[in-house]
Amino acid sequence: MRIISGKYKGRRISAPKNLPVRPTTDMSKEALFNILNNHFNLTELKVLDLFAGTGNICYEFASRGSEPIIAVDANFGCVSFIKKTTDEYEFNITAIKSDVFQFLEKTKGDFDIIFADPPYDLDQVKFEKINELVFQNELLNEEGMLIIEHSKHTKLNHLQHFSFQKNYGGSVFSFFEYENDTDTEIDEQDDDSEE
């Protein structure tokens, strides 16, 4: 994986081959951060990364100055790799081994950004549960944003707090915000252009 911007721009991080992950592609990641740059000053944002995998998204936030960052994954190998990389680069990332849904049930906090990248074959009900737990437990601050990455076969635009979505190849980012409950935008076209 490659860090695309910030302090460590261009740095490549090699994850072990045996981790059960599907990293967000560079194209999708760049498109995502173009969108976020239009909404936030990424410096000092409090970020929660769910189903963190190799930590791909965490490292991008950290390179751009976001902190603190919490990365949650149920896989021991993924959490160990994130901890190792965090130590190597001196990122302000805390890696937690936990079932994501149990973590959301118990955690407290007001995050600026919550990013979730579950396995694409996760049951639709589980995708909806992420949204439900985040807003039910008030884990976002008032100006915050929940982003869920999913396949085009999963539909989340009917959920409460849905704001807009962007499609990139086979990946979709759905965005949820407190303030945009009635102002929705769906980009049905594959789009790899900058925002």
Side-chain angles (χ1 to χ4, degrees):
M1 76 193 87
R2 178 176 61 88
I3 297 176
I4 57 178
S5 191
K7 181 178 179 180
Y8 294 98
K9 180 179 179 179
R11 192 70 58 91
R12 293 192 175 275
I13 299 173
S14 297
K17 301 290 187 186
N18 61 344
L19 296 182
V21 297
R22 173 202 37 75
T24 302
T25 66
D26 281 356
M27 183 193 79
S28 296
K29 185 168 64 169
E30 187 163 8
L32 170 64
F33 278 88
N34 284 338
I35 294 169
L36 294 178
N37 275 326
N38 288 332
H39 285 80
F40 299 97
N41 175 356
L42 296 181
T43 304
E44 298 182 1
L45 285 185
K46 189 175 182 182
V47 177
L48 174 60
D49 185 5
L50 304 172
F51 305 93
T54 60
N56 188 10
I57 295 295
C58 291
Y59 309 143
E60 198 66 48
F61 275 114
S63 180
R64 294 164 187 251
S66 300
E67 61 177 7
I69 301 166
I70 297 176
V72 181
D73 201 280
N75 182 270
F76 176 80
C78 290
V79 172
S80 296
F81 179 71
I82 294 172
K83 288 180 177 179
K84 176 185 172 186
T85 306
T86 294
D87 289 344
E88 181 179 344
Y89 288 89
E90 299 182 340
F91 290 145
N92 189 355
I93 299 172
T94 301
I96 297 173
K97 182 184 180 300
S98 174
D99 174 84
V100 164
F101 298 97
Q102 290 178 5
F103 179 86
L104 290 175
E105 290 274 11
K106 296 176 182 178
T107 196
K108 305 291 182 188
D110 54 341
F111 296 94
D112 299 299
I113 294 177
I114 299 177
F115 178 81
D117 182 13
Y120 279 8
D121 61 357
L122 195 70
D123 189 80
Q124 170 84 24
V125 174
K126 293 282 193 179
F127 275 95
E128 296 179 4
K129 188 72 172 175
I130 296 167
N131 172 281
E132 178 186 330
L133 289 172
V134 165
F135 287 100
Q136 176 182 289
N137 295 337
E138 300 180 344
L139 300 181
L140 280 176
N141 70 35
E142 287 186 3
E143 305 298 323
M145 183 178 281
L146 166 66
I147 306 126
I148 303 178
E149 181 177 348
H150 55 93
S151 81
K152 59 187 178 182
H153 303 295
T154 299
K155 306 299 182 188
L156 302 180
N157 57 318
H158 63 286
L159 297 179
Q160 190 175 15
H161 305 296
F162 176 80
S163 182
F164 64 99
Q165 73 181 37
K166 295 290 183 181
N167 298 9
Y168 300 97
S171 298
V172 181
F173 294 114
S174 287
F175 297 79
F176 302 86
E177 301 173 85
Y178 282 114
E179 59 187 21
N180 288 331
D181 288 350
T182 58
D183 180 20
T184 60
E185 168 197 342
I186 302 176
D187 180 359
E188 295 290 359
Q189 302 299 316
D190 288 352
D191 180 6
D192 59 2
S193 61
E194 292 189 1
E195 285 294 300

